Amino acid sequence: MVVPFSECIARPPDEPGGRQNLLSDHLLAVARSWGDSSGNLPSRLRFLAGLLHDAGKARARWQDYIREVAGRAAPGANAVPITPDSETPPPSGNKGQPARRGSVNHAPLGAALFFYCASALLEALRPSPAELRELRFLIIQLCYDIYDHHGELSDLDREPPWVDTLSKEDLEECDLGGIFAFIGGFFPELRDKTATLSCASHPNGLSDEIFSWLKEAEKAWEERVIRGDARLRHQIASSQDRYHLAAQRCLRERTSGLIAADRYDAAKMNRSELTREDAARGLDRLLKFCKAKGTAALASGKGTANLLEQRRRLQDECCEAYKRTPGEGFYTLVLPTGLGKTLTSLRVALVACASGRCRRILYVAPYLSILSQATGEIRDATGLEVLQHHHLSMLAQEELETLDSLLLESWQAPIVTTTFNQLFRALFPVRAQHTLRLNGLSGAFIIIDEPQVIDGAVWNLFLHMLQAATEVYGCQVLLSTATLPPLEFGISRRIIHLAPEVESPRRYEIYSVPDPLDEEGVTCAAIEELKRSGSVAVIMNTVADAASIYSRVKESLPANVACYNLTGCMTPLHKAHRIQEIASRLRSGDKVAVVCTQVLECGVDLSFRSILRARSTIPSIVQSAGRANRHAEGGQARVMVFQFLRDGELDTRRYVYRTGAAVQETDESLSRHPSWEEPLTREVVEEYYSNVMARNTNTAALETLVEAACGKWSALAGQDPFGPDYPHIDTFVPYGEEFLSPRMRDLLLRFAPGGCEELYERYLDKRHRAKLSFAERKRFMGLLQHFVVSLDLKAAEHIVVPAPEIGICRIVDAKLYSPETGLAHRVGHGYDVSDGFL
C-alpha cells in the first residue's frame, strides 16, 4: 500500500472534524522558515532539507498510525495520547484497547532522501572545487540535523546514520514520485530528474534505484567526513583564537533553525517579544516601584537614608553608562551585596528594550530560591507577564515534543526567567529539542545573576559559548554579582563595567575560627551568637548537615525563640513562605536562628546580626557575608568561618566544592587574612581569583570545543554549571496550599476546585491539559511547580511512588513531609543533588 503524497498528513486535525494538516503544507512551512529556495547555496540546501525533514511520514505505515491515533481521539472513541511529532507511537493501551503498532521511525528516511536529492543538486549546479567540498560537508551536517531532530544529537560517523535503520521496504511504502514532483516545483535544476522519477511506471524499480545509490554512496560519505574533519581541524589550528572559532562552530544555530521551524509550525505558535512601548511602560512602573520600596524601607528601618540614596544614585549612573555604550555584547555590574543589583540590572535591560536595541529580557539565576523571588519582583516591578522556566517545568523526556514542553523551552515570551541549568542546555544541548531555546536568545538582553557559582572547570568554556551567542544572535549579556570571576580567559570582546567605584560600607567583619567544629561545637557557637546579637544564620554545606544542626539548635533553645531550617528539600511555596516569615520576625526585632544550606547566599533579602559559615570558598563566604547587617541597620556584624567536621572526622565540604584549586586557595587565603572588614573584601576576592587561575586555567576543558566543532558532539554535550549532574526525581508534595497568594489561589480554584491533590490528578490527565490554551498551560504548570521538591534517588527510594514514565512523581504519604524541614530529615549522609547546592 502506498498513500498518494498529496493526501499524506503530518498530524491529526487540530480539532475533531477540522481541516487536515497536510504533510506537504508542513514541509513547505519548515523549508521557508529554515532556508530560501532562491538564496545562496547553503540557504537553498537548508530549504531542501526542510522539504524533506519529515518526508518519512509519507510511509504508509506512518500514515496508518497517525490516522489510527486521530480516530482514537475522536469523541466517543477510546482516546489515547496524541504526540504528533513523536518518533515512536505510544505503548499498548490498557486492557480492552487494541495493541498499538511497533515503532515507525520517520527521521532516517528523511535524512537519506535529502542526501540523495542534495547530491543530485550539487551535481547539476557544478560549484567550484573549494565550494563543493564545503557544501558536501554541509550536506552531511544537515543529514544529522534531520536524523536527530526528535532525539539526541549524534557524533558525525564515517557511516551514514541511517545505515542500520533504513530498508528498501521503507522506500517502497512511499509515493516517491509524488515526493520528487513536490521537490521539483522548487528546484528547477532537479526538475528533469524528478519528472523522470515521478513518471516511473515501476515504483519498486524507483525504490531499488535510490536504495542502490545510497549503498554505493557510503564510501563517498566516509571520505567526505574524513576530509571535512581534517579541513576543520586545520582551520581551527590556524586561527589566532582557536577556541573562539571552535565555539562559533559549536553553537547549534543551524539545528535550532530546523527545530524551531518544525515545532512552531506543528504547534501553530508565534514568536513573542517585548515591544518598545511595553518596555517603556515597564520602565516607568519600575521607577515608581523603586521609589515606593525605598520609602517603605526607610519607614520600617530596613536601611538608612544614605544607603537608599546610594542605591538610587548607582542605578542612575549604571543606566547612563549603558546609554553611552549601547552596542556592546558584554556588561558587568559588580557591586557589594545589598546595593540593589537585581533591580538595577532590570532597569538597564528595560532601557535596552525601550531603545529598540533588544527585544526580550532573559533573567538567569543559579538556584530556584533566587529565581522564584526574582520572578515575583520582576513581575511586581514592571507589571509585565513573566514566563518562568526550570527543570520542574519540564515533562518526561519521552514527551519533549508535546505542547507543554514547547511553551516552556521556546522562551518565546517578552520576559523569561530561568536557571543556569536551562541556559547550559541551550549552549551545550544533549537533545535536538534543547536547541529550541537558542531562538529565545535572539535579540535578548540576558541578565546572569550570581555567575560566580558556576563551576570553575567550565567557567571559561561557558564564556566562550556565551560570546559566540552574542555574535550570532545579537544578544547582550550583563553579569551581575559582588564577586565576579576573571573574564579575560573566555571573552575576547570589549567588556563594559557599568558600576562606578563605590565607597564600600563597613557592615561586617569576617574572621576565621582557628579550630575545627563538630555538630556540638557549631550548636554551642550558634546559641552563643544568638544570645549576643539577637539573630544568627548558620550556613552549612549539605542538607544532611543543616538538618542535623537544626535539630540540635532547636532542642537547645526555649520554645519562644524562633528557629528555622531552610534547604532545597522544601517545596518552592513552603520555602518562600518560611523566608517571608523569617523576614517578618527579623523586622520585628525577635530573636531568630536559621540553619540552612547555601540557599541564603544569593538573592535572598534577609539581614542577620551574626553569620556562622562552614568553610567553603572565598566567593561563597563573601556572598554569605552579604546577609550580615545587609542594610547597615546596626553596628558592625560578625561573620564566623569555621571548618566543619561531621562526627569530628569528616570534612563534608568535599561533597560540594570539588575543585581542588578553589579549596586550597580558600584555605591559604584565610591563613593570610584571618580577619578582615568589608572594605577589604574586593581585594581579597580579586587575590583569590588571581591565584586560582594561576593554579589552573582549566584550558583542558576548552579542547572539548575543538572536538565538538569537528563532529564529536558528545565531548561537549550536557556540560553542567555545577559540575557533574546527578540523577534526581521531581516529587509532588500536597503541602502548603494555605501559603498560596490570592492570585495563585484563584488559579487553583479554576484548575482544581478540589485542591492541590486534584491539581496533580489534572497533571496526569493529558487530555485535560490538551484542552488548555497557551497561557492556561503556562499558568497550570507554574502553579504545579509550587508543590514540587527535587530529590536524589537515594532519598526518594522509599518515599516516592515509582512512576518512571511520569515527569513529576508523587510522594507516597504527605505526612512524611515536615512543616519544619520539608524532606531534609529524609536525606542521608553523603553527596546528592539536594545536598550539594540547593
Side-chain angles (χ1 to χ4, degrees):
M1 289 291 295
V2 173
V3 179
F5 177 74
S6 60
E7 298 176 12
C8 290
I9 62 173
R11 58 190 180 278
D14 297 327
E15 55 187 36
R19 180 181 177 274
Q20 291 283 2
N21 289 304
L22 293 177
L23 179 58
S24 57
D25 291 343
H26 174 63
L27 297 178
L28 183 56
V30 172
R32 285 173 171 164
S33 179
W34 199 21
D36 184 351
S37 60
S38 59
N40 58 28
L41 267 175
S43 184
R44 295 189 73 194
L45 285 171
R46 290 195 304 273
F47 187 92
L48 178 60
L51 289 181
L52 289 165
H53 81 284
D54 270 352
K57 289 183 177 181
R59 291 172 59 190
R61 278 204 302 153
W62 202 95
Q63 289 297 308
D64 287 348
Y65 151 66
I66 203 63
R67 284 181 166 84
E68 177 189 354
V69 169
R72 286 168 178 258
N78 293 321
V80 296
I82 298 177
T83 54
D85 287 327
S86 176
E87 291 279 356
T88 306
S92 299
N94 297 325
K95 187 175 180 181
Q97 292 183 352
R100 312 309 308 278
R101 302 180 191 275
S103 175
V104 186
N105 194 346
H106 64 268
L109 180 54
L113 288 176
F114 168 70
F115 187 58
Y116 177 81
C117 293
S119 299
L121 181 63
L122 291 190
E123 185 179 337
L125 292 174
R126 299 181 181 278
S128 67
E131 190 178 16
L132 181 63
R133 287 191 294 270
E134 294 290 339
L135 293 172
R136 280 177 170 170
F137 195 65
L138 173 61
I139 288 171
I140 286 174
Q141 293 172 313
L142 290 169
C143 284
Y144 273 100
D145 287 335
I146 296 172
Y147 188 84
D148 294 335
H149 80 280
H150 286 296
E152 292 191 2
L153 298 171
S154 306
D155 291 343
L156 265 61
D157 198 350
R158 294 187 180 186
E159 288 186 334
W162 57 79
V163 164
D164 296 322
T165 51
L166 183 71
S167 68
K168 186 162 68 70
E169 287 72 21
D170 297 337
L171 292 161
E172 291 172 347
E173 285 186 29
C174 298
D175 174 15
L176 294 175
I179 293 174
F180 288 126
F182 174 66
I183 295 169
F186 302 97
F187 288 90
E189 301 87 350
L190 297 179
R191 203 162 285 160
D192 291 341
K193 186 177 184 65
T194 55
T196 301
L197 292 171
S198 62
C199 294
S201 57
H202 301 289
N204 286 356
L206 178 56
S207 302
D208 286 339
E209 178 187 331
I210 297 175
F211 192 72
S212 297
W213 186 93
L214 289 171
K215 296 299 290 183
E216 288 294 323
E218 290 178 16
K219 294 180 181 178
W221 177 282
E222 179 180 13
E223 179 185 348
R224 292 171 190 179
V225 168
I226 293 172
R227 288 187 176 183
D229 175 272
R231 191 163 56 252
L232 273 176
R233 289 184 185 278
H234 176 72
Q235 290 174 358
I236 293 172
S238 303
S239 173
Q240 290 183 340
D241 191 346
R242 60 195 300 262
Y243 296 132
H244 176 54
L245 176 59
Q248 288 180 320
R249 295 274 190 171
C250 287
L251 196 68
R252 299 297 295 244
E253 178 193 15
R254 187 192 62 253
T255 310
S256 176
L258 169 61
I259 304 306
D262 181 50
R263 307 301 197 264
Y264 289 177
D265 180 67
K268 296 294 186 284
M269 205 179 87
N270 297 317
R271 290 171 169 82
S272 178
E273 297 176 344
L274 182 59
T275 65
R276 297 178 67 169
E277 295 74 20
D278 284 343
R281 282 192 289 270
L283 183 59
D284 182 62
R285 176 161 170 160
L286 172 65
L287 294 174
K288 295 175 182 176
F289 176 87
C290 291
K291 184 176 181 180
K293 186 176 181 180
T295 302
L298 197 59
S300 64
K302 190 177 178 180
T304 64
N306 287 339
L307 186 62
L308 294 172
E309 172 58 24
Q310 186 181 29
R311 289 173 180 166
R312 186 201 62 75
R313 178 176 54 80
L314 283 171
Q315 201 176 101
D316 290 344
E317 291 184 17
C318 290
C319 286
E320 289 303 315
Y322 173 80
K323 290 176 182 177
R324 290 193 296 270
T325 55
E328 300 299 327
F330 282 91
Y331 301 85
T332 71
L333 183 62
V334 181
L335 289 171
T337 56
L339 292 186
K341 291 189 296 296
T342 300
L343 289 177
T344 300
S345 300
L346 180 59
R347 183 174 167 186
V348 173
L350 287 168
V351 167
C353 292
S355 69
R357 173 60 181 81
C358 294
R359 303 187 300 276
R360 176 178 296 111
I361 296 173
L362 179 64
Y363 170 86
V364 193
Y367 311 129
L368 297 187
S369 55
I370 302 178
L371 189 69
S372 299
Q373 178 175 299
T375 299
E377 189 167 44
I378 292 170
R379 186 181 289 119
D380 293 342
T382 64
L384 299 170
E385 187 171 356
V386 182
L387 173 66
Q388 186 177 178
H389 176 219
H390 51 76
H391 75 282
L392 300 185
S393 327
M394 306 290 287
L395 298 180
Q397 257 204 357
E398 288 77 12
E399 300 176 325
L400 282 177
E401 289 76 26
T402 61
L403 284 176
D404 291 308
S405 181
L406 180 62
L407 301 179
L408 295 162
E409 287 204 59
S410 62
W411 291 353
Q412 290 302 315
I415 301 180
V416 178
T417 62
T418 190
T419 62
F420 286 4
N421 277 309
Q422 301 308 322
L423 179 59
F424 266 60
R425 289 292 74 75
L427 300 176
F428 310 103
V430 175
R431 297 175 62 87
Q433 184 79 0
H434 294 153
T435 68
L436 183 65
R437 65 197 69 173
L438 283 174
N439 279 263
L441 302 183
S442 181
F445 191 96
I446 307 171
I447 301 169
I448 301 181
D449 205 357
E450 311 294 0
Q452 76 283 347
V453 304
I454 293 174
D455 188 10
V458 298
W459 172 245
N460 291 329
L461 188 66
F462 168 66
L463 292 179
H464 273 88
M465 291 300 292
L466 202 58
Q467 176 170 325
T470 64
E471 294 165 349
V472 171
Y473 289 106
C475 51
Q476 294 184 313
V477 176
L478 173 61
L479 301 163
S480 175
T481 179
T483 54
L484 183 64
L487 304 177
E488 63 267 22
F489 297 100
I491 298 174
S492 57
R493 296 185 63 172
R494 181 188 181 197
I495 301 168
I496 304 299
H497 305 289
L498 297 179
E501 290 291 332
V502 297
E503 182 180 352
S504 182
R506 295 178 178 271
R507 294 174 293 182
Y508 60 77
E509 178 188 12
I510 297 175
Y511 77 94
S512 182
V513 177
D515 298 320
L517 300 179
D518 60 6
E519 290 88 343
E520 188 62 30
V522 176
T523 301
C524 292
I527 293 171
E528 183 179 332
E529 284 300 302
L530 181 62
K531 291 178 181 178
R532 183 189 67 81
S533 65
S535 63
V536 62
V538 183
I539 305 178
M540 306 301 294
N541 287 327
T542 74
V543 169
D545 291 334
S548 173
I549 299 297
Y550 165 76
S551 64
R552 291 170 178 268
V553 171
K554 186 172 176 61
E555 287 174 4
S556 303
L557 292 175
N560 62 342
V561 176
C563 187
Y564 297 91
N565 182 225
L566 282 175
T567 71
C569 284
M570 293 176 166
T571 66
L573 185 65
H574 186 197
K575 187 162 46 182
H577 174 75
R578 297 294 266 185
I579 290 173
Q580 291 173 1
E581 194 174 336
I582 293 167
S584 177
R585 291 272 197 171
L586 290 170
R587 284 195 300 269
S588 300
D590 298 342
K591 285 195 171 184
V592 178
V594 176
V595 184
C596 61
T597 55
Q598 302 90 320
V599 71
L600 285 190
E601 274 188 10
C602 305
V604 178
D605 190 10
L606 296 176
S607 181
F608 297 87
R609 297 299 310 151
S610 181
I611 301 281
L612 274 67
R613 181 60 170 101
R615 188 177 292 187
S616 51
T617 63
I618 291 295
S620 174
I621 291 167
V622 170
Q623 292 292 339
S624 299
R627 309 319 118 181
N629 194 21
R630 183 174 176 83
H631 306 290
E633 62 268 32
Q636 194 174 67
R638 186 155 64 175
V639 179
M640 300 168 54
V641 181
F642 60 94
Q643 181 185 15
F644 175 68
L645 299 180
R646 183 186 288 171
D647 299 324
E649 297 179 355
L650 179 63
D651 187 349
T652 55
R653 172 171 59 164
R654 64 188 177 91
Y655 292 134
V656 182
Y657 303 97
R658 299 179 300 279
T659 304
V663 170
Q664 293 168 17
E665 180 53 36
T666 293
D667 292 344
E668 293 181 15
S669 180
L670 292 174
S671 296
R672 290 192 299 269
H673 307 283
S675 67
W676 75 86
E677 293 184 339
E678 184 177 7
L680 192 62
T681 292
R682 185 163 186 170
E683 180 182 328
V684 172
V685 170
E686 289 177 352
E687 177 189 70
Y688 162 83
Y689 279 128
S690 176
N691 291 338
V692 167
M693 285 298 176
R695 290 174 183 265
N696 185 3
T697 59
N698 293 302
T699 54
L702 299 181
E703 289 300 322
T704 61
L705 290 172
V706 178
E707 293 302 310
C710 295
K712 190 179 180 182
W713 183 253
S714 58
L716 192 65
Q719 295 289 334
D720 193 277
F722 307 109
D725 192 17
Y726 290 83
H728 63 272
I729 295 178
D730 297 335
T731 307
F732 174 81
V733 180
Y735 174 83
E737 196 173 314
E738 67 274 19
F739 302 146
L740 288 170
S741 67
R743 178 175 177 270
M744 289 292 105
R745 198 171 292 116
D746 288 343
L747 282 177
L748 182 62
L749 285 173
R750 185 197 311 174
F751 290 124
C756 58
E757 290 273 19
E758 183 183 352
L759 184 71
Y760 185 70
E761 294 301 319
R762 294 290 175 88
Y763 165 73
L764 297 178
D765 186 351
K766 297 177 183 178
R767 286 181 296 169
H768 176 268
R769 286 188 283 111
K771 297 175 183 177
L772 300 177
S773 67
F774 180 104
E776 286 174 329
R777 280 196 191 92
K778 186 166 57 178
R779 295 187 183 104
F780 177 90
M781 293 302 296
L783 180 61
L784 186 71
Q785 292 156 17
H786 284 70
F787 302 95
V788 172
V789 178
S790 184
L791 294 173
D792 72 287
L793 300 184
K794 184 177 179 181
E797 187 175 2
H798 300 296
I799 64 175
V800 172
V801 178
E805 74 282 0
I806 297 175
I808 299 175
C809 298
R810 190 193 188 285
I811 194 168
V812 171
D813 184 351
K815 293 179 182 178
L816 294 171
Y817 189 87
S818 165
E820 294 185 29
T821 63
L823 293 172
H825 60 287
R826 303 289 304 190
V827 175
H829 295 318
Y831 181 82
D832 60 80
V833 172
S834 298
D835 238 2
F837 45 80
L838 295 181

